[in-house]
Amino acid sequence: MNIIAVVVTFNRRELLKRNIECLRKNTPISSIIVVNNGSTDGTKEWLDEQNDITVIHQENVGGSGGFYTGIDYAYKNGADWVWCMDDDVFPRADCLEKMLLHTTDSTIGIIAPRRLMDGEIFCHDFQSYNMTNPFSSMYKDKLSKKIVNSPTFIAGTAFEGPFIRRDVIEKIGLPTRELFIFCDDTDYCLRTILAGYKILYVPEALMDKQKFFSNDTWSERSKKKKWKRYYQIRNSAYLNHHYGKNWSVRYLRGFINVFGYIATAFITAPFSNAWQWNEIPKLWKAYKDGISERLGIIK
């Protein structure tokens, strides 16, 4: 079985080193591909010194562009399964072994490991999509609200360890690289489900996840994430518009989402430097771009 691991990295050299060491302990990985999205912190130089890694250097095209490149390379090089992850997750030595136990069922297109943060379960996985009611989340039956101790079918997971069958890539293609960041994993999982495949969450297959922003205030977190808000709003609006089953989901759900951000910015701007009033038009543009399905990197 040809198993190729794909890691996407950007300016996290030390985390990447830990990730690669963990992958080296997982067998039977056939090869490791690292897609370096234009790192400037010495990652390129370190990667070029490694003799057991295939490295692809490219400009920073976000997580979606990185996984597009990596999965495409793995597929073209005959991968039977592609194991995808960011550089901030660390598979335990038997993680792959535990997932391989479930590969005989050809209806299972993606296998998802369990992620732990500081020893606690970290889970945004969910079991179904809501594409009819705009007043509730798209993500239904979240595993974070349940006790899951055995393999469980889900409908969505993050690009933090999904193990993807070759047949899925052949049938639905590659991730939507124009999303840049946010929702590319949701989009890929939804396409997988619509193509008739199942996604299986395996709690015995463990990965540890790096914790970020643990001591930041709300204002500090908001400032750090501010540049990402456009993509978060736009891509969410895109998913709802593209896959929504009725007018209200296609337009109203995204509007409710962006209105919450605009209201927060309007109210907090006089009292905090987390937001400024002149940033509000960009939030509205994100919503309009989403429902117009205008994707890509903004300049």
Side-chain angles (χ1 to χ4, degrees):
M1 186 182 294
N2 186 7
I3 298 172
I4 299 180
V6 172
V7 182
V8 176
T9 189
F10 174 69
N11 280 351
R12 290 177 177 171
R13 182 181 59 186
E14 297 309 311
L15 294 182
L16 177 64
K17 288 180 180 180
R18 181 181 170 190
N19 169 274
I20 296 299
E21 284 306 310
C22 291
L23 281 175
R24 285 169 172 155
K25 296 174 183 176
N26 273 264
T27 54
I29 289 179
S30 305
S31 58
I32 300 172
I33 299 169
V34 175
V35 180
N36 173 30
N37 269 345
S39 297
T40 57
D41 65 343
T43 293
K44 179 183 184 300
E45 292 74 17
W46 179 80
L47 284 170
D48 288 342
E49 294 173 353
Q50 310 307 304
N51 56 20
D52 61 341
I53 300 173
T54 298
V55 181
I56 301 174
H57 297 297
Q58 63 180 20
E59 64 179 340
N60 186 7
V61 288
S64 60
F67 286 116
Y68 179 98
T69 298
I71 295 173
D72 182 50
Y73 184 95
Y75 179 80
K76 289 176 178 176
N77 281 270
D80 297 305
W81 286 84
V82 183
W83 194 10
C84 300
M85 65 195 74
D86 291 322
D87 51 18
D88 62 346
V89 291
F90 316 107
R92 298 192 180 179
D94 63 349
C95 184
L96 179 58
E97 176 187 333
K98 299 294 186 183
M99 291 193 293
L100 283 171
L101 296 174
H102 304 278
T103 57
T104 56
D105 183 348
S106 62
T107 67
I108 296 175
I110 297 177
I111 300 173
R114 167 170 279 174
R115 305 183 300 284
L116 302 174
M117 182 183 289
D118 287 347
E120 300 294 328
I121 296 173
F122 178 87
C123 187
H124 291 156
D125 300 15
F126 55 95
Q127 293 185 284
S128 60
Y129 292 90
N130 165 25
M131 292 300 181
T132 57
N133 180 2
F135 300 105
S136 60
S137 172
M138 176 192 299
Y139 312 109
K140 292 178 63 179
D141 303 313
K142 295 180 180 179
L143 293 195
S144 60
K145 298 180 180 180
K146 302 180 180 183
I147 297 174
V148 179
N149 294 319
S150 61
T152 301
F153 288 113
I154 59 174
T157 189
F159 271 145
E160 295 178 339
F163 195 43
I164 306 172
R165 186 184 294 273
R166 179 181 181 84
D167 291 354
V168 170
I169 304 168
E170 185 173 318
K171 190 165 186 178
I172 73 170
L174 302 168
T176 305
R177 58 183 168 183
E178 294 81 7
L179 289 170
F180 186 54
I181 57 171
F182 289 119
C183 300
D184 50 322
D185 39 22
T186 301
D187 177 69
Y188 203 74
C189 288
L190 180 50
R191 287 159 57 195
T192 299
I193 294 293
L194 291 175
Y197 290 98
K198 300 174 184 176
I199 303 175
L200 185 68
Y201 174 82
V202 180
E204 297 85 4
L206 299 176
M207 306 180 82
D208 294 295
K209 179 174 171 60
Q210 180 72 15
K211 187 176 183 179
F212 295 102
F213 307 142
S214 57
N215 298 316
D216 289 347
T217 64
W218 173 85
S219 179
E220 290 170 334
R221 284 197 305 275
S222 295
K223 284 189 289 185
K224 288 179 178 178
K225 294 181 178 180
K226 188 182 295 186
W227 72 271
K228 300 179 181 180
R229 295 298 188 200
Y230 168 86
Y231 297 103
Q232 192 173 34
I233 294 168
R234 183 199 67 184
N235 293 353
S236 176
Y238 162 77
L239 288 185
N240 285 302
H241 184 269
H242 193 75
Y243 297 106
K245 299 297 184 182
N246 54 49
W247 179 92
S248 59
V249 170
R250 289 195 291 270
Y251 294 94
L252 183 56
R253 181 184 281 161
F255 176 81
I256 293 171
N257 182 43
V258 73
F259 181 79
Y261 281 112
I262 290 174
T264 299
F266 184 82
I267 294 170
T268 61
F271 312 104
S272 170
N273 59 3
W275 288 101
Q276 297 177 351
W277 285 334
N278 61 8
E279 295 170 324
I280 292 177
K282 187 175 182 180
L283 300 176
W284 182 245
K285 180 181 185 304
Y287 166 71
K288 291 196 299 180
D289 285 350
I291 61 174
S292 300
E293 302 196 7
R294 212 165 26 235
L295 305 179
I297 301 173
I298 60 170
K299 303 297 184 181

